[in-house]
Amino acid sequence: MKGSDFAVLLPTHNRQDMFLLFDRAINSCLNNTILPNQILVVVDGPVHQEFSEKIKKYESHDLISILWLKSNVGLALALNEGLKLIDTKYVFRADGDDFNRKNRFQVQLEMLENGYDLVGSAIAEKDMDGKQLAVKRCPLKHSDIVNYAYRRCPINHMTAAYKTDLVKSVGGYPEIYLKEDWALWTLMIEAGAKIANSDEILVDALTDINMYKRRGGFKNIISEFSMQKFLVKHLSKSIFLAL
């Protein structure tokens, strides 16, 4: 069933698990109870030939558009390039290696159309074999979400859905490594956004040892420091709490 005025923004890049799960991710969007106006796939830089051929098969689909970026620019800039091409009222984020449950769009559209500017949900973290490893939930109410945002990211990014105009008005995703989503939610809170999370699991998210490796190391320490400075600037977080 064709739904409200929304697009799905789905980035992907040259990673083996993305290649293996890409079809499943796309089909989970196409098989939802409410269909988007558009699924915009942003290919962040060159991908290997087999993956490129797989993506090109979707170029003829009525609902799917492909944005090919010539070089790998990273998630924040890739998403911002995609946002430039979207003019629907809402944007739903999705990832190229995750599975959107069949009622995701319907549940979150109802939340958005009830006056929220940004919504998310719980996720089930699963491995490549489909084994559930954990469930990750975030605070549900606006006030609790704002308080939580001072300490941790309050929205699971692959479940986020938001008002397009508001995200564009705050400048889109800030370029903070692995924290671009938290930084955007911070800007939206600063702008007065009304936010909520659903306690329902609406996305199955891939989790493996490589994800934890990507979130470790010196680069992540630097990004954490950058994010704390960002919170001090935009949410008036005490510098003593940031240290």
Side-chain angles (χ1 to χ4, degrees), residues 156-171:
N156 291 315
H157 194 190
M158 71 291 289
T159 74
Y162 43 70
K163 286 186 177 177
T164 310
D165 287 348
L166 179 55
V167 169
K168 290 183 177 182
S169 73
V170 300

Side-chain angles (χ1 to χ4, degrees), residues 59-60 62 65 68:
E59 288 185 317
S60 61
D62 290 344
S65 303
W68 300 87

Side-chain angles (χ1 to χ4, degrees), residues 6 32 34 90-93 100-101 103-116 118-122 155-162 196-198 200 202-203:
F6 74 100
N32 247 256
I34 296 180
Y90 305 119
V91 171
F92 280 65
R93 272 284 287 110
N100 299 281
R101 295 198 178 182
N103 64 332
R104 180 199 165 185
F105 299 157
Q106 183 173 350
V107 169
Q108 293 190 297
L109 269 175
E110 290 176 359
M111 296 172 71
L112 289 167
E113 292 180 349
N114 280 331
Y116 289 101
L118 167 64
V119 299
S121 80
I155 301 281
N156 291 315
H157 194 190
M158 71 291 289
T159 74
Y162 43 70
N197 276 306
S198 169
E200 186 175 354
L202 297 178
V203 176

Side-chain angles (χ1 to χ4, degrees), residues 118-136:
L118 167 64
V119 299
S121 80
I123 60 172
E125 296 184 330
K126 297 184 176 183
D127 63 18
M128 285 289 292
D129 298 321
K131 179 181 178 182
Q132 183 166 304
L133 304 176
V135 172
K136 183 179 178 183

Side-chain angles (χ1 to χ4, degrees), residues 1 19 29 35 41 70 80 84 91 96-97 104 107 110 113 115 123 125 136 143-144 155 178 188 196:
M1 180 177 70
F19 167 70
C29 296
L35 291 179
V41 177
K70 292 182 179 180
N80 287 338
K84 292 176 183 178
V91 171
D97 56 354
R104 180 199 165 185
V107 169
E110 290 176 359
E113 292 180 349
I123 60 172
E125 296 184 330
K136 183 179 178 183
S143 58
D144 294 332
I155 301 281
L178 292 180
M188 294 179 76

